[in-house]
Amino acid sequence: MSARGTFALVILGAIWGGSFIFMRVAAPEFGVFALVEVRTVMATLIMLPFLLAAGGWRDIRAHGWKIAFIGLTNTAIPFVLFNYSSLYLEAGINAILNATAPMFGALVALLWLGDKLRLSSLAGLLTGFTGVVVLSAHKTGSGDVSIVPILAACSATACYGVAACAMKKWLSGVRPLVVATGSQIWASLFLLPFSLATLPEAMPSAIAWVNALALAAGGTGIAYLLYFHLIASAGPAKAISVGYLVPLFGIIWGILFLNETLSLQTMTGGVLILFGVALTTGVLARLRKAG
């Protein structure tokens, strides 16, 4: 990857890591549904001009229900679940749990697409989910939170796994910008009635609005465009490595801006999760081959 591509990758990791801070601040005032609605509508407004300029609207209509399914599983449901978990979990912990998405993707691919798992991938799944157990045991054992927010975050990443396999099966030949924009449109429509039914009683504060708009514009709209640029310039295999930077930045931003602290047990769980993801996705094998 070029120096320019590496810089873009780091910026993307920083933006997506910051998304968990934005959710942590904005969700208590907006509510879990209204915040996602703000996020998806603004992301749509940012990406739609690029889509129209590329002549992609016809593709959205041609793959309507398939893109709608992606909007439900890759945006609407997981965004709501992460908003809920952010009410109880630190931004850094949510960022760590977000890294389990490739492991769920491998499991769903095994069960749905019939993909085979190497022995190293199975070891990675065992290692990664052990990390989730270690992290969960610490949070629930200390009496800080119940298991529900952790299950919500893991359910969100499981949805990402389902969406990734659906895109591979149904939309592999469709431009990523089409899928991303269309999924944001459908997610906005799906969540509109829930958002209207759960509007906050009081107008959110200015700081909550700043975080909500940063989440929508930066964490979704701009970040998606940057991600697609990386896929086109550096390839999907390198672009997806941003997943290893997101937990790092999520922890850093949480410490700097929210005064969060992460225990040794939480960090141990995080290391196990990332190591498990590296094994599951074959990153370590590719690094050895490259070496």
Side-chain angles (χ1 to χ4, degrees), residues 42-278:
M42 179 164 284
T44 298
L45 294 176
I46 291 173
M47 291 188 287
L48 191 57
F50 293 92
L51 176 80
L52 295 176
W57 186 255
R58 196 177 309 168
D59 294 333
I60 289 181
R61 295 178 59 186
H63 302 280
W65 72 267
K66 297 174 183 177
I67 294 178
F69 182 81
I70 301 302
L72 191 65
T73 56
N74 199 61
T75 299
I77 295 176
F79 282 11
V80 167
L81 291 172
F82 266 124
N83 278 352
Y84 170 77
S85 66
S86 69
L87 298 175
Y88 305 95
L89 299 176
E90 295 90 339
I93 290 178
N94 261 332
I96 291 171
L97 291 173
N98 181 72
T100 60
M103 297 193 305
F104 283 109
L107 275 178
V108 175
L110 172 68
L111 298 174
W112 184 12
L113 304 181
D115 289 3
K116 294 182 179 180
L117 290 178
R118 300 182 304 274
L119 185 60
S120 60
S121 297
L122 291 172
L125 290 174
L126 179 61
T127 302
F129 286 121
T130 299
V132 174
V133 171
V134 169
L135 190 153
S136 303
H138 172 66
K139 294 299 294 181
T140 57
S142 62
D144 292 344
V145 295
S146 69
I147 193 65
V148 177
I150 297 174
L151 291 177
C154 290
S155 298
T157 57
C159 286
Y160 289 147
V162 171
C165 292
M167 284 188 278
K168 180 179 180 181
K169 184 176 181 65
W170 297 330
L171 299 167
S172 58
V174 181
R175 287 172 290 178
L177 182 60
V178 171
V179 179
T181 309
S183 65
Q184 298 303 305
I185 294 172
W186 276 109
S188 300
L189 295 174
F190 284 136
L191 293 173
L192 182 59
F194 299 98
S195 302
L196 293 176
T198 58
L199 288 174
E201 296 181 1
M203 176 64 71
S205 65
I207 189 66
W209 270 107
V210 168
N211 280 270
L213 295 177
L215 178 64
T220 309
I222 295 173
Y224 274 23
L225 294 175
L226 186 58
Y227 184 55
F228 298 145
H229 167 72
L230 275 170
I231 291 175
S233 61
K238 292 181 180 179
I240 204 171
S241 63
V242 70
Y244 296 95
L245 295 177
V246 173
L248 173 63
F249 280 105
I251 292 170
I252 291 173
W253 299 148
I255 292 173
L256 289 178
F257 297 108
L258 299 180
N259 296 318
E260 294 182 353
T261 58
L262 295 180
S263 67
L264 178 61
Q265 191 169 349
T266 298
M267 295 301 295
T268 301
V271 169
L272 287 172
I273 289 171
L274 290 176
F275 184 67
V277 171

